Amino acid sequence: MPKIIGKSLHEHRQMTRHKLFTALSTLMAERGFDTITLADIATAAGVGRTAVYNHFSDKESLLLGFITHETEQYALTLERALAGVDDPVEQLRTYIRQQAQLARVFHLAPGPDLRTVLSRSTQARLREHAEIVESILKRILHDGIAVGSFPRQDIEPTVQLVNACLSGRLIPEEPPARERAISAAETFVLRAVGARPVLAA
Protein backbone atom coordinates (compact mmCIF):
# COMPACT_ATOMS: atom_id res chain seq x y z
CA MET A 1 0.00 0.00 0.00
CA PRO A 2 1.42 3.44 -0.93
CA LYS A 3 2.49 5.70 1.90
CA ILE A 4 -0.11 8.29 2.87
CA ILE A 5 1.12 11.87 2.73
CA GLY A 6 -0.68 14.40 4.89
CA LYS A 7 -2.63 13.92 8.11
CA SER A 8 -5.68 12.23 6.57
CA LEU A 9 -6.79 10.43 3.42
CA HIS A 10 -8.55 13.61 2.26
CA GLU A 11 -5.40 15.68 2.75
CA HIS A 12 -3.39 12.97 1.01
CA ARG A 13 -5.68 13.15 -2.02
CA GLN A 14 -5.52 16.95 -2.09
CA MET A 15 -1.72 16.94 -1.89
CA THR A 16 -1.43 14.31 -4.61
CA ARG A 17 -3.73 16.28 -6.91
CA HIS A 18 -1.67 19.40 -6.27
CA LYS A 19 1.52 17.53 -7.19
CA LEU A 20 -0.10 16.29 -10.40
CA PHE A 21 -1.32 19.78 -11.31
CA THR A 22 2.12 21.26 -10.65
CA ALA A 23 3.75 18.57 -12.77
CA LEU A 24 1.31 19.15 -15.65
CA SER A 25 1.81 22.91 -15.47
CA THR A 26 5.59 22.52 -15.54
CA LEU A 27 5.53 20.10 -18.46
CA MET A 28 3.12 22.27 -20.45
CA ALA A 29 5.47 25.21 -20.07
CA GLU A 30 8.12 23.10 -21.81
CA ARG A 31 6.21 21.31 -24.56
CA GLY A 32 2.84 20.76 -26.16
CA PHE A 33 0.05 18.97 -24.32
CA ASP A 34 -0.21 16.46 -27.17
CA THR A 35 3.33 15.19 -26.48
CA ILE A 36 2.88 14.71 -22.72
CA THR A 37 1.98 11.26 -21.38
CA LEU A 38 0.52 10.23 -18.04
CA ALA A 39 3.82 8.47 -17.36
CA ASP A 40 5.62 11.81 -17.87
CA ILE A 41 3.24 13.48 -15.43
CA ALA A 42 3.61 10.73 -12.82
CA THR A 43 7.41 10.92 -13.03
CA ALA A 44 7.44 14.73 -12.77
CA ALA A 45 5.05 14.57 -9.79
CA GLY A 46 7.09 11.90 -8.05
CA VAL A 47 4.15 9.49 -7.80
CA GLY A 48 3.36 6.11 -9.31
CA ARG A 49 1.16 5.79 -12.39
CA THR A 50 -1.47 4.04 -10.28
CA ALA A 51 -1.75 7.21 -8.19
CA VAL A 52 -2.58 9.17 -11.32
CA TYR A 53 -5.37 6.75 -12.30
CA ASN A 54 -6.75 6.92 -8.76
CA HIS A 55 -7.56 10.57 -9.46
CA PHE A 56 -8.01 10.88 -13.22
CA SER A 57 -9.09 8.38 -15.86
CA ASP A 58 -7.01 9.91 -18.64
CA LYS A 59 -4.87 12.89 -19.64
CA GLU A 60 -7.82 15.06 -20.67
CA SER A 61 -9.60 14.61 -17.34
CA LEU A 62 -6.37 15.62 -15.57
CA LEU A 63 -6.15 18.74 -17.73
CA LEU A 64 -9.79 19.53 -17.00
CA GLY A 65 -9.19 19.10 -13.27
CA PHE A 66 -6.15 21.39 -13.46
CA ILE A 67 -8.00 24.12 -15.36
CA THR A 68 -11.02 23.84 -13.06
CA HIS A 69 -8.76 24.34 -10.05
CA GLU A 70 -6.87 27.24 -11.64
CA THR A 71 -10.08 28.97 -12.77
CA GLU A 72 -11.74 28.68 -9.37
CA GLN A 73 -8.65 30.00 -7.59
CA TYR A 74 -8.33 32.88 -10.06
CA ALA A 75 -12.02 33.78 -9.70
CA LEU A 76 -11.59 33.96 -5.92
CA THR A 77 -8.49 36.16 -6.30
CA LEU A 78 -10.31 38.42 -8.74
CA GLU A 79 -13.34 38.78 -6.47
CA ARG A 80 -11.07 39.69 -3.55
CA ALA A 81 -9.35 42.36 -5.67
CA LEU A 82 -12.73 43.81 -6.66
CA ALA A 83 -14.24 43.67 -3.17
CA GLY A 84 -13.25 47.19 -2.13
CA VAL A 85 -13.79 48.86 -5.51
CA ASP A 86 -17.14 50.55 -6.16
CA ASP A 87 -16.61 52.52 -9.35
CA PRO A 88 -17.25 50.35 -12.47
CA VAL A 89 -14.40 51.99 -14.41
CA GLU A 90 -11.97 51.19 -11.61
CA GLN A 91 -13.43 47.69 -11.40
CA LEU A 92 -12.69 47.24 -15.10
CA ARG A 93 -9.14 48.53 -14.58
CA THR A 94 -8.73 46.01 -11.77
CA TYR A 95 -10.09 43.23 -13.98
CA ILE A 96 -7.66 44.13 -16.77
CA ARG A 97 -4.66 44.18 -14.45
CA GLN A 98 -5.63 40.91 -12.78
CA GLN A 99 -5.96 39.28 -16.20
CA ALA A 100 -2.52 40.58 -17.16
CA GLN A 101 -1.04 39.00 -14.02
CA LEU A 102 -2.62 35.65 -14.72
CA ALA A 103 -0.15 33.06 -16.05
CA ARG A 104 -2.33 30.79 -18.19
CA VAL A 105 -0.03 27.93 -18.96
CA PHE A 106 -2.82 26.08 -20.72
CA HIS A 107 -3.20 28.94 -23.22
CA LEU A 108 0.49 29.63 -23.75
CA ALA A 109 1.86 26.09 -23.93
CA PRO A 110 4.04 25.25 -26.94
CA GLY A 111 2.65 22.95 -29.62
CA PRO A 112 -0.79 22.86 -31.23
CA ASP A 113 -3.70 24.91 -29.90
CA LEU A 114 -5.48 22.82 -27.25
CA ARG A 115 -8.70 23.09 -29.26
CA THR A 116 -7.13 20.97 -31.99
CA VAL A 117 -6.05 18.10 -29.71
CA LEU A 118 -8.94 17.82 -27.23
CA SER A 119 -12.24 16.01 -27.65
CA ARG A 120 -15.38 18.07 -28.22
CA SER A 121 -16.77 17.14 -24.81
CA THR A 122 -13.61 18.37 -23.07
CA GLN A 123 -13.65 21.56 -25.14
CA ALA A 124 -17.24 22.16 -24.03
CA ARG A 125 -16.28 21.66 -20.38
CA LEU A 126 -13.39 24.10 -20.74
CA ARG A 127 -15.82 26.62 -22.20
CA GLU A 128 -18.01 26.25 -19.11
CA HIS A 129 -15.08 27.15 -16.88
CA ALA A 130 -14.21 30.20 -18.97
CA GLU A 131 -17.74 31.46 -18.28
CA ILE A 132 -16.95 31.68 -14.55
CA VAL A 133 -14.55 34.56 -15.21
CA GLU A 134 -16.69 36.00 -18.02
CA SER A 135 -19.61 36.33 -15.61
CA ILE A 136 -17.52 38.69 -13.48
CA LEU A 137 -16.76 40.93 -16.46
CA LYS A 138 -20.43 40.86 -17.49
CA ARG A 139 -21.39 42.05 -14.02
CA ILE A 140 -18.90 44.93 -14.20
CA LEU A 141 -20.21 46.02 -17.60
CA HIS A 142 -23.87 45.69 -16.56
CA ASP A 143 -23.25 47.80 -13.45
CA GLY A 144 -21.26 50.37 -15.45
CA ILE A 145 -24.02 50.75 -18.04
CA ALA A 146 -26.62 51.08 -15.28
CA VAL A 147 -24.83 54.06 -13.70
CA GLY A 148 -23.71 55.64 -16.98
CA SER A 149 -20.01 54.79 -16.73
CA PHE A 150 -20.22 52.89 -20.05
CA PRO A 151 -22.57 53.48 -22.99
CA ARG A 152 -25.23 50.88 -23.79
CA GLN A 153 -23.77 48.03 -25.81
CA ASP A 154 -24.21 44.34 -26.62
CA ILE A 155 -22.45 42.80 -23.62
CA GLU A 156 -21.99 39.24 -24.91
CA PRO A 157 -19.67 40.07 -27.86
CA THR A 158 -18.01 42.85 -25.84
CA VAL A 159 -16.97 40.33 -23.17
CA GLN A 160 -15.59 37.98 -25.82
CA LEU A 161 -13.60 40.78 -27.48
CA VAL A 162 -12.19 42.10 -24.19
CA ASN A 163 -11.05 38.66 -23.03
CA ALA A 164 -9.61 37.83 -26.46
CA CYS A 165 -7.57 41.01 -26.28
CA LEU A 166 -6.28 40.27 -22.78
CA SER A 167 -5.68 36.52 -23.03
CA GLY A 168 -3.89 36.90 -26.36
CA ARG A 169 -1.25 39.22 -24.98
CA LEU A 170 2.22 38.02 -24.05
CA ILE A 171 3.15 40.36 -21.23
CA PRO A 172 6.93 40.93 -20.95
CA GLU A 173 8.66 39.97 -17.71
CA GLU A 174 10.90 43.06 -17.49
CA PRO A 175 9.14 45.57 -15.15
CA PRO A 176 9.26 48.72 -17.38
CA ALA A 177 8.16 46.86 -20.51
CA ARG A 178 5.58 44.91 -18.50
CA GLU A 179 3.98 48.04 -17.05
CA ARG A 180 3.96 49.68 -20.47
CA ALA A 181 2.18 46.67 -22.00
CA ILE A 182 -0.38 46.47 -19.20
CA SER A 183 -1.05 50.23 -19.38
CA ALA A 184 -1.54 49.97 -23.13
CA ALA A 185 -4.01 47.10 -22.69
CA GLU A 186 -5.85 49.06 -20.02
CA THR A 187 -6.12 52.17 -22.20
CA PHE A 188 -7.22 50.14 -25.22
CA VAL A 189 -9.94 48.17 -23.40
CA LEU A 190 -11.33 51.20 -21.56
CA ARG A 191 -11.54 53.08 -24.85
CA ALA A 192 -13.10 50.07 -26.58
CA VAL A 193 -15.98 49.79 -24.09
CA GLY A 194 -16.51 53.56 -24.11
CA ALA A 195 -15.48 54.22 -20.52
CA ARG A 196 -15.95 57.82 -19.50
CA PRO A 197 -12.64 59.72 -19.18
CA VAL A 198 -11.32 60.31 -15.68
CA LEU A 199 -11.66 64.01 -14.89
CA ALA A 200 -8.55 65.74 -13.57
CA ALA A 201 -8.79 66.88 -9.97
Side-chain angles (χ1 to χ4, degrees):
M1 182 175 178
K3 182 180 179 182
I4 299 296
I5 55 175
K7 298 178 181 177
S8 65
L9 183 58
H10 173 73
E11 187 175 336
H12 168 77
R13 290 184 60 82
Q14 291 297 106
M15 291 174 70
T16 301
R17 286 171 67 90
H18 178 71
K19 290 172 76 172
L20 293 173
F21 292 158
T22 300
L24 177 61
S25 175
T26 300
L27 290 170
M28 288 182 66
E30 299 170 352
R31 61 184 195 265
F33 178 74
D34 58 317
T35 69
I36 299 170
T37 66
L38 284 179
D40 294 332
I41 296 167
T43 299
V47 301
R49 287 188 64 179
T50 302
V52 181
Y53 287 112
N54 285 340
H55 292 266
F56 303 101
S57 59
D58 54 36
K59 191 172 68 168
E60 286 197 9
S61 64
L62 171 54
L63 176 69
L64 190 58
F66 168 62
I67 292 179
T68 299
H69 173 77
E70 291 294 298
T71 302
E72 290 173 350
Q73 292 302 307
Y74 172 64
L76 288 173
T77 299
L78 179 56
E79 290 287 18
R80 282 196 294 268
L82 291 168
V85 184
D86 297 321
D87 178 56
V89 175
E90 289 307 311
Q91 287 183 347
L92 184 53
R93 289 181 189 275
T94 300
Y95 180 90
I96 293 165
R97 288 189 169 267
Q98 287 293 320
Q99 285 283 88
Q101 298 296 331
L102 181 63
R104 291 186 173 178
V105 173
F106 42 92
H107 283 309
L108 306 179
D113 187 312
L114 283 179
R115 289 171 294 186
T116 68
V117 296
L118 297 179
S119 66
R120 289 190 176 184
S121 62
T122 298
Q123 290 182 46
R125 295 289 303 280
L126 293 181
R127 179 72 195 126
E128 290 173 10
H129 295 301
E131 290 172 357
I132 295 173
V133 177
E134 288 178 0
S135 67
I136 298 174
L137 179 54
K138 287 179 184 178
R139 186 184 74 217
I140 293 171
L141 293 175
H142 271 296
D143 292 348
I145 291 170
V147 300
S149 296
F150 312 131
R152 292 196 172 279
Q153 55 199 283
D154 191 342
I155 288 180
E156 290 292 336
T158 298
V159 165
Q160 298 301 318
L161 290 166
V162 169
N163 281 336
C165 170
L166 297 176
S167 64
R169 292 184 62 86
L170 292 176
I171 306 295
E173 290 299 320
E174 302 76 16
R178 183 178 184 81
E179 180 56 33
R180 182 182 177 189
I182 294 174
S183 294
E186 182 180 295
T187 299
F188 181 84
V189 171
L190 289 172
R191 186 184 297 127
V193 302
R196 69 174 192 275
V198 178
L199 298 177

